[in-house]
Amino acid sequence: MVLTPIKVSAGDIFSHGRLRVSDNKRFLQHEDGEPFFWLGETAWLMPERLNREEVGCYLNTCHNAGYNVVQIQVLNDVPTYNIYGQPSHDSNGKLVDSQFSTLAPQIYTYWDHLDYIIDTAAKNDIYIAMVCVWGSVVKAGKMNVEQAKTYGTFLAERYKNRKNIVWIIGGDIQGDIKHEVWETLATTIKAIDHNHLMTFHPRGRYTSAHWWSQAEWIDFHCFQSGHRRYGQRMNDKTYPIPDNTEEDNWMYVDSTWNYHPLKPVLDDEPIYEGIPKGLHDANEPLWQASDVRRYAYWSVFAGSCGHSYGNNAIMQFYREGYPPAYFNTKQWYDALRDPGFNQMQHLKQLMLSLPYYERVPDQTVILDNGTQYDRLIATRGTDYLLVYNYTGRTMKIDLRKITGTKKKVWWMDAATGHKIFIGEYDNGIHSFTPPHTSVGTEDGVLIVIDAITKRVW
């Protein structure tokens, strides 16, 4: 393996101030009003499996691919060991750190390595979204209320002044399993750290609002739409959604906004590029780049404040010598060239190129909509509207939903971000058949702009 550091021209997004929830409670922004579109990359095992050089190269690559958030597991077990063999806890379950352990101060501890990850991410304009402890660890009884209080105090004191932290409570678990541990961990951190946002990562096919809609500590909600294809129920008796809606991740945005008070929401764990459909059967086909694009656009156009991407090889940082999970065979550094990993930036760029806070989902824009893969999804502002089309089918769109008597129309290829000007149209209802601009792909976005705005793409 050869890793070459990439030169980064950081824009210092932290100069805009801390992250906060927007005034309309639907988006995230910086203190100075600058929009923050969450584009997350899933790097669960980075603290365990990457050395310092690899951390730098990986985060460089994420920065250049447009990611501004990287999601990690702080603890995958008690203890968790990093690549240098240093544990997070001693044999008695006590936190190991040079400040209060029997280790010599010169030891590069587990927490020193986490510090390095966070600081390197900051140099790359990236927030580290820290899942404090994975849900299965707590479920197994390896962290109780008192330990959660000690651990939460440790984390908050250590990282409250870092500029690039987002706290994630939970980790692929229901909020009513060890509820008191999650509540204690969250409130302990929040009592000390007033600088950073906090959310909860739930089990698949759940939204955090299901348990935590009234919790004062949660700033925005996450859902995990999961990895199953349509019809893949897999005998799960606790399945909380209707049959044959497994891939409809847009519906979680709607269901989360049914809870009050209103808070921003995003899909924190959709399908992963390169993972088998349903996870557990090697004979199932793998999710592809077009699938991860569809999940991203469906969720964001439904009203999400951003989106998290995942890749089977990258999330576990697989390389020869490690046992692969979910039948993965690709080295993590090779997966950095996967198309889906590099195509998420086109969505972020599109969202930030238009008036941000006025954007709302609006399905009334679409006439004669379809279901499942043929479902179109629309979002609009005052003078623009966007329609995502996965299959490239002809669509009938009501242009009267935005201002202007004349509308200019483009088609954006979701795989490349390339835009083609289709023409200028009078107000009214029009049919559009997307041009096919990429070999082997169909999906893209119809972009309609009030002609008087004179926007140039």
Side-chain angles (χ1 to χ4, degrees):
M1 176 181 65
V2 177
L3 289 173
T4 304
I6 302 169
K7 184 177 181 180
V8 171
S9 298
D12 191 14
I13 60 174
F14 309 110
S15 65
H16 297 288
R18 293 181 298 181
L19 292 183
R20 71 173 185 87
V21 174
S22 64
D23 292 339
N24 66 8
K25 309 302 181 185
R26 292 175 180 263
F27 302 105
L28 302 178
Q29 66 174 71
H30 294 276
E31 280 183 312
D32 68 356
E34 182 76 9
F36 181 78
F37 181 86
W38 173 298
L39 188 60
E41 215 292 280
T42 304
W44 295 137
L45 298 186
M46 178 164 55
E48 297 177 53
R49 293 193 170 178
L50 295 194
N51 63 34
R52 288 166 64 96
E53 179 192 10
E54 291 165 339
V55 164
C57 292
Y58 165 70
L59 292 171
N60 286 168
T61 304
C62 287
H63 169 87
N64 283 279
Y67 295 98
N68 52 18
V69 180
V70 166
Q71 305 175 165
I72 68 170
Q73 294 178 9
V74 179
L75 294 182
N76 191 39
D77 202 350
V78 177
T80 299
Y81 291 84
N82 65 22
I83 197 168
Y84 299 105
Q86 296 301 319
S88 60
H89 293 69
D90 65 20
S91 59
N92 296 314
K94 301 287 187 180
L95 287 159
V96 172
D97 181 72
S98 58
Q99 296 179 30
F100 51 82
S101 76
T102 57
L103 292 175
Q106 66 268 22
I107 293 292
Y108 183 72
T109 69
Y110 184 90
W111 303 104
D112 291 332
H113 193 47
L114 188 61
D115 295 347
Y116 180 80
I117 289 171
I118 294 167
D119 293 342
T120 305
K123 295 175 183 177
N124 287 275
D125 283 347
I126 289 173
Y127 287 83
I128 294 295
M130 301 171 65
V131 178
C132 302
V133 54
W134 201 243
S136 58
V137 180
V138 174
K139 186 177 181 179
K142 295 184 178 182
M143 184 173 291
N144 59 31
V145 168
E146 286 305 312
Q147 291 166 329
K149 188 178 296 184
T150 300
Y151 179 51
T153 300
F154 168 75
L155 287 179
E157 291 291 356
R158 191 176 189 99
Y159 297 117
K160 64 183 179 182
N161 294 320
R162 290 299 205 285
K163 58 188 176 182
N164 62 323
I165 296 296
V166 177
W167 297 111
I168 301 182
I169 306 301
D172 197 24
I173 194 168
Q174 293 154 277
D176 54 0
I177 295 176
K178 302 291 185 177
H179 181 282
E180 68 284 358
V181 175
W182 302 121
E183 181 78 19
T184 299
L185 183 59
T187 55
T188 298
I189 293 173
K190 273 288 190 175
I192 298 169
D193 179 7
H194 308 293
N195 297 322
H196 301 116
L197 297 178
M198 180 177 283
T199 188
F200 183 93
H201 179 276
R203 180 190 173 188
R205 294 159 300 283
Y206 276 99
T207 167
S208 59
H210 182 77
W211 309 282
W212 306 109
S213 63
Q214 299 297 312
E216 294 183 1
W217 53 262
I218 196 164
D219 299 297
F220 64 99
H221 289 299
C222 287
F223 60 89
Q224 181 187 163
S225 56
H227 303 273
R228 297 182 184 178
R229 56 171 167 75
Y230 287 126
Q232 200 173 42
R233 192 176 185 96
M234 301 174 73
N235 300 316
D236 188 343
K237 295 180 180 180
T238 64
Y239 210 57
I241 62 173
D243 289 347
N244 297 309
T245 63
E246 288 82 358
E247 297 183 44
D248 293 337
N249 72 332
W250 49 267
M251 70 181 180
Y252 294 94
V253 183
D254 297 341
S255 65
T256 300
W257 281 349
N258 287 332
Y259 292 90
H260 296 284
L262 182 70
K263 293 183 179 181
V265 62
L266 61 86
D267 193 346
D268 197 41
E269 187 171 341
I271 57 174
Y272 291 164
E273 188 171 13
I275 208 166
K277 296 181 179 182
L279 299 180
H280 304 297
D281 186 348
N283 297 314
E284 285 282 345
L286 305 181
W287 292 110
Q288 301 297 316
S290 61
D291 299 306
V292 299
R293 294 196 303 269
R294 171 167 51 89
Y295 271 59
Y297 283 87
W298 272 359
S299 176
V300 170
F301 281 24
S304 289
C305 64
H307 189 72
S308 289
Y309 162 88
N311 184 292
N312 190 18
I314 299 171
M315 67 91 177
Q316 59 184 293
F317 289 98
Y318 174 74
R319 70 179 114 204
E320 291 182 6
Y322 286 117
Y326 305 114
F327 314 105
N328 178 69
T329 59
K330 182 178 289 188
Q331 310 281 340
W332 71 265
Y333 39 85
D334 292 331
L336 296 175
R337 294 190 289 271
D338 282 355
F341 175 88
N342 292 287
Q343 291 165 353
M344 294 294 103
Q345 60 187 306
H346 305 313
L347 171 59
K348 175 186 168 189
Q349 291 164 358
L350 177 63
M351 292 297 98
L352 293 175
S353 68
L354 295 162
Y356 195 76
Y357 299 112
E358 66 186 50
R359 180 173 66 84
V360 295
D362 188 355
Q363 289 300 91
T364 67
V365 165
I366 302 161
L367 286 73
D368 301 325
N369 207 347
T371 60
Q372 294 191 347
Y373 299 136
D374 281 331
R375 186 180 193 271
L376 307 173
I377 190 162
T379 186
R380 65 166 179 83
T382 302
D383 61 4
Y384 70 90
L385 68 86
L386 310 171
V387 181
Y388 176 74
N389 184 333
Y390 178 62
T391 60
R393 69 180 182 87
T394 297
M395 48 191 158
K396 188 180 291 186
I397 306 298
D398 189 349
L399 304 189
R400 298 170 299 181
K401 297 294 182 176
I402 61 173
T403 62
T405 57
K406 296 281 187 180
K407 311 293 169 63
K408 290 185 175 180
V409 180
W410 289 260
W411 174 255
M412 188 189 89
D413 182 351
T416 66
H418 179 66
K419 301 177 185 72
I420 296 175
F421 182 63
I422 295 176
E424 187 170 301
Y425 291 77
D426 293 327
N427 222 6
I429 297 173
H430 295 271
S431 292
F432 299 94
T433 301
H436 301 298
T437 54
S438 290
V439 176
T441 64
E442 302 282 346
D443 65 316
V445 180
L446 187 77
I447 303 171
V448 182
I449 306 288
D450 182 347
I452 202 171
T453 65
K454 302 186 184 302
R455 287 196 182 91
V456 178
W457 297 89

